Structure formats: structure tokens, C-alpha cells
């Protein structure tokens, strides 16, 4: 470990031993406890290990799409032959991120990685940023989520903004979400968004939009087109303020029940992308991943390969075979995410649907959000599972 002490090395060893014990006993994935153990011995262990990444640390935060966006970035990094440490199991709080780097390190506390790629919970972002210098931060979108933890949306926005401000990190922002686009106006910012849909495609009809107001005069935005929720092309009806033109954008977006296609544009170059991920929301996840990759100077060939070759994480448009049936699993945690997942699934007229709801702490104990999700879209579909 660079600049290590004996106690820091012992912290890594203790964390790795706890990982082995947990997995040997079949008690879980060891995605959190090893981080707690290591931090108890050496509170600076995350900072010490993350600082060894040869290029640096990048992060993804926001309400929906963190895991998928991070997974897409990891796929691009792999295509670009970059060694990456990534909390792909989704443990995105401080202890989970610490466990990730501890488990990736050698027993002597060395981390062999070009990048540390962290999916970070919105509330954890400012905490992690105080320990780790984050080179760039992607923000996906802002919807009401886990109200028992965060309260109103403004609280979530302030948490993310404060995390970006800790190191004055460059921000990769969704231009089509007005609550995201107006973040950190004094930071270095790169915007991504959708410009056009394919001929014959129509935007979502869901109404899970968050109120968005002009930061200049306070008037509520008006929309030329909404893709879903509050995400779309907006402008202030009272002053000249409007949506930022995205530098990274998608044209001719087309989505089906099983995938999506679009033209990715940046700096005069156009790349045809076919994603094995359904839904407009996954087009945004891919744009976010591409925008960060362009910002990092990765080649467009690696970006295309990484996006098109991406294989899903658990529950995020995951495909499995069960008793001869092909199953598509969509993890949803709030009204906007649910409505978009349902809309994508409803594109298959022969589909059957099973909906399961839990109120475990990790996903939020308050499940009242379910009443705002647009499950009525399934009324015209084939029937139950």
C-alpha cells in the first residue's frame, strides 16, 4: 500500500479474512462487513487503496440507473483494456465501497487498477468524496425515492451537489432532467440527452414527473416533448432560460420489449448502438456511460463495443431461463422506474407478468410509492404469469 503502515496492511488482511469466512460459511456475498472490519482497524483504508488507481476514481449517482450505468461503464473500460475495480454487487454505501477495494487488493495492500469505478448512494456521495478524490461524477436523474431516508427531492439534489463540490469534480449531467441539469453551475459540466426519436416512435405517456422550476425566475418549465416523467425538452415560458444542448446525444431512438437502438453522437462522430436493454431509461443509462467515457478520452470503438456487448447485472433487465420459459427481471424502486419498466414490458403483446413487492430496509420501508406507478399499462396485455 502506497505510504502504508503496518496497521493499514493489517486492516486489509482482516477484511479479506472476513470475506473468506463469510463466503466459506455461505453467509452472503461479503459486500459490506469486510469494509466495516477494515475501517475499524484503519479508518483511512478506503482513501489509501483508492489513491492507488493509476488513472483515478469515477463515480455514478442519482435516483434510477446507477447500477446499470456503472455496469455499462465497466463494460466500456473492459473493451478499452482498462483494469477496473467496481462495486458491481451494488453495495454503494461507505462500507460497501470500502469492502470492494479491500477485496480487490492484494494481501499486502496493493491495488492493481487503472480505474476505481464506484456506484454511490446519493446520501453517501459527499461522505465518500471527503475520503476519495473523485475525478468525474455522473448523475443519472432525480425522482422521489426512499422517502423514509431522503425526504423531498430537494434534499437529494443538495446531497449530490455537495458531493460534487467536495473535490470540484467534473459533472456528467442529464440535460433532459431539469432538476439534474441545473446542478453545480460553477463546475466543469458535460451534458448528455436524447435529441430525436425514430420515425413512428412516441414518448411515454406516464405522468410521474417531478415539478421543475427555472433557476433564473422561478417559473415552472414548459415542455416541447416529454420522454417520460419530467425528462424531456423544456424551456421557461417567462424568460430565455432553456434546456442545455447536450454535447453527447442520441438520435433516432427506438425501443422494443427486449432492446433498444439509437445513433450516438459526439464531437461530429456518429455511432450506431444496439443495446440488449429495453426502455428509454436504458438509452439514458447508455448515454451517461458514453458521456463519461468520451470525457475520459476513451476511443469510440471501445465505447461502441462496451455498450453493445454489455451483459446485465442482477435484476437490471436480467434474462434467465426457468422451466423452459425466458424470464426478464426488472428491479424497480420508485414510481418513475416502475412505470418505465412496465411500459417496456408491455411492448410484448404475448408477455405474462409477475409483480413482487418487498419493504426491506435496503430498498426502502415506505412502499406507498407503488400507488403512483402506472401498472394500468398491463391491462391490455396477455394476462398473469
Amino acid at each position: 500500500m502506497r505510504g502504508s503502515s503496518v496497521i493499514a496492511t493489517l486492516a486489509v488482511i482482516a477484511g479479506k479474512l472476513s470475506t473468506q469466512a463469510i463466503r466459506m460459511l455461505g453467509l452472503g456475498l461479503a459486500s459490506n462487513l469486510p469494509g466495516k472490519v477494515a475501517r475499524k482497524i484503519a479508518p483511512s483504508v478506503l482513501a489509501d487503496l483508492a489513491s492507488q488507481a493509476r488513472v483515478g476514481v469515477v463515480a455514478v449517482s442519482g435516483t434510477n440507473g446507477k447500477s446499470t450505468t456503472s455496469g455499462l461503464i465497466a463494460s466500456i473500460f473492459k473493451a478499452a483494456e482498462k483494469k477496473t475495480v467496481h462495486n458491481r454487487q451494488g453495495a454503494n454505501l461507505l462500507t460497501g465501497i470500502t469492502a470492494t477495494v479491500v477485496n480487490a487488493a492484494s494481501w499486502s495492500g496493493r491495488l492493481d487498477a487503472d480505474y476505481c469505478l464506484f456506484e454511490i448512494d446519493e446520501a453517501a456521495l459527499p461522505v465518500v468524496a471527503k475520503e476519495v478524490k473523485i475525478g468525474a461524477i455522473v448523475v443519472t436523474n432525480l425522482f422521489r425515492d426512499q422517502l423514509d431516508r431522503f425526504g423531498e427531492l430537494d434534499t437529494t439534489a443538495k446531497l449530490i451537489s455537495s458531493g460534487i463540490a467536495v473535490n470540484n469534480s467534473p459533472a456528467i449531467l442529464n440535460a433532459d432532467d431539469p432538476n439534474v441539469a441545473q446542478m453545480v453551475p460553477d463546475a466543469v459540466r458535460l451534458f448528455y440527452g436524447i435529441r430525436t426519436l425514430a420515425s413512428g416512435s412516441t414518448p411515454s405517456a406516464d405522468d410521474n414527473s417531478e415539478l421543475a422550476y427555472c433557476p433564473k425566475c422561478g417559473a415552472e418549465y414548459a415542455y416541447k416533448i416529454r420522454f417520460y416523467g419530467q425528462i424531456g425538452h423544456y424551456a421557461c415560458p417567462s424568460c430565455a432560460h432553456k434546456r442545455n444542448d447536450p454535447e453527447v446525444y442520441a438520435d433516432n431512438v427506438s425501443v422494443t420489449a427486449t432492446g433498444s437502438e439509437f445513433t450516438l453522437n459526439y464531437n461530429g462522430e456518429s455511432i450506431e448502438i444496439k443495446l440488449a436493454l429495453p426502455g428509454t431509461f436504458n438509452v439514458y443509462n447508455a448515454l451517461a456511460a458514453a458521456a463519461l467515457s468520451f470525457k475520459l478520452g476513451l476511443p469510440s470503438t471501445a465505447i461502441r463495443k462496451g455498450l453493445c456487448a454489455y451483459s446485465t447485472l442482477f435484476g437490471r433487465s436480467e434474462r434467465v431461463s426457468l422451466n423452459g420459459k425466458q424470464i426478464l427481471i426488472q428491479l424497480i424502486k420508485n414510481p418513475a422506474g416502475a412505470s418505465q419498466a412496465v411500459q417496456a414490458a408491455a411492448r410484448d403483446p404475448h408477455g405474462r407478468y409477475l409483480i413482487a413487492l418487498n419493504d426491506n430496509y435496503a430498498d426502502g420501508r415506505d412502499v406507498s410509492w407503488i400507488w403512483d406507478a402506472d401498472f394500468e399499462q398491463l391491462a391490455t396485455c396477455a394476462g398473469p404469469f
Side-chain angles (χ1 to χ4, degrees):
M1 188 181 298
R2 192 173 299 169
S4 66
S5 64
V6 172
I7 193 168
T9 304
L10 288 174
V12 172
I13 293 171
K16 294 176 79 66
L17 286 174
S18 68
T19 295
Q20 288 189 346
I22 291 167
R23 293 176 179 173
M24 187 181 302
L25 295 172
L27 298 177
L29 298 174
S31 59
N32 274 294
L33 183 60
K36 292 182 180 180
V37 171
R39 294 182 66 84
K40 191 71 173 179
I41 297 171
S44 66
V45 65
L46 172 59
D48 292 340
L49 290 172
S51 68
Q52 296 182 44
R54 287 181 287 273
V55 182
V57 178
V58 293
V60 178
S61 195
T63 308
N64 296 312
K66 293 188 293 294
S67 295
T68 299
T69 300
S70 299
L72 287 162
I73 294 168
S75 184
I76 294 171
F77 283 174
K78 181 179 179 181
E81 299 183 342
K82 304 296 182 183
K83 290 186 176 181
T84 308
V85 173
H86 170 211
N87 56 332
R88 70 184 311 272
Q89 295 170 343
N92 57 21
L93 300 177
L94 186 63
T95 53
I97 293 167
T98 303
T100 296
V101 294
V102 166
N103 288 331
S106 69
W107 287 89
S108 62
R110 300 294 302 175
L111 196 70
D112 180 19
D114 296 303
Y115 289 99
C116 284
L117 165 61
F118 298 143
E119 168 195 336
I120 307 181
D121 174 87
E122 301 92 297
L125 181 60
V127 180
V128 174
K130 288 177 182 177
E131 296 192 14
V132 176
K133 183 172 177 57
I134 304 176
I137 297 175
V138 177
V139 184
T140 57
N141 49 60
L142 286 179
F143 288 94
R144 285 173 297 151
D145 184 55
Q146 299 189 48
L147 298 181
D148 50 339
R149 290 184 59 217
F150 292 121
E152 288 304 314
L153 194 64
D154 185 57
T155 302
T156 309
K158 288 178 180 177
L159 286 167
I160 296 175
S161 296
S162 65
I164 295 171
V166 170
N167 297 300
N168 196 27
S169 303
I172 316 298
L173 303 178
N174 187 343
D176 296 346
D177 186 334
N179 294 319
V180 170
Q182 59 186 268
M183 283 183 171
V184 290
D186 296 327
V188 174
R189 304 190 296 179
L190 177 68
F191 291 97
Y192 63 90
I194 291 176
R195 188 167 70 170
T196 63
L197 301 178
S199 177
S201 296
T202 57
S204 169
D206 84 70
D207 59 358
N208 290 297
S209 59
E210 306 294 346
L211 292 177
Y213 299 95
C214 174
K216 303 293 185 182
C217 70
E220 186 176 346
Y221 282 122
Y223 282 80
K224 182 178 181 180
I225 183 174
R226 282 186 198 262
F227 297 115
Y228 64 92
Q230 78 275 8
I231 295 179
H233 295 178
Y234 51 88
C236 177
S238 298
C239 72
H241 187 71
K242 62 179 183 178
R243 163 183 175 265
N244 296 85
D245 290 330
E247 294 96 327
V248 179
Y249 58 90
D251 276 330
N252 303 316
V253 175
S254 174
V255 298
T256 68
T258 58
S260 52
E261 299 181 14
F262 62 94
T263 303
L264 172 64
N265 300 279
Y266 175 68
N267 200 26
E269 184 176 9
S270 297
I271 310 166
E272 297 303 318
I273 302 295
K274 291 186 177 182
L275 283 179
L277 298 172
T280 307
F281 58 99
N282 276 317
V283 174
Y284 277 105
N285 294 336
L287 283 171
L292 173 68
S293 301
F294 282 126
K295 177 69 175 176
L296 297 174
L298 298 180
S300 58
T301 51
I303 294 172
R304 182 183 183 280
K305 181 179 179 181
L307 294 179
C308 295
Y310 174 68
S311 59
T312 59
L313 299 169
F314 172 75
R316 277 80 174 182
S317 301
E318 181 185 14
R319 290 176 170 81
V320 298
S321 180
L322 179 64
N323 296 329
K325 295 181 178 180
Q326 295 302 309
I327 310 295
L328 177 67
I329 302 172
Q330 296 279 27
L331 177 66
I332 52 181
K333 297 185 179 183
N334 51 48
S339 296
Q340 283 299 294
V342 168
Q343 183 190 52
R347 293 178 185 273
D348 181 358
H350 305 294
R352 300 293 191 272
Y353 307 96
L354 174 66
I355 300 169
L357 178 67
N358 82 78
D359 64 349
N360 294 328
Y361 176 77
D363 295 324
R365 301 305 306 274
D366 182 355
V367 295
S368 61
W369 62 266
I370 200 75
W371 300 107
D372 293 328
D374 189 12
F375 289 104
E376 288 81 1
Q377 296 177 89
L378 299 179
T380 58
C381 296
F385 186 73

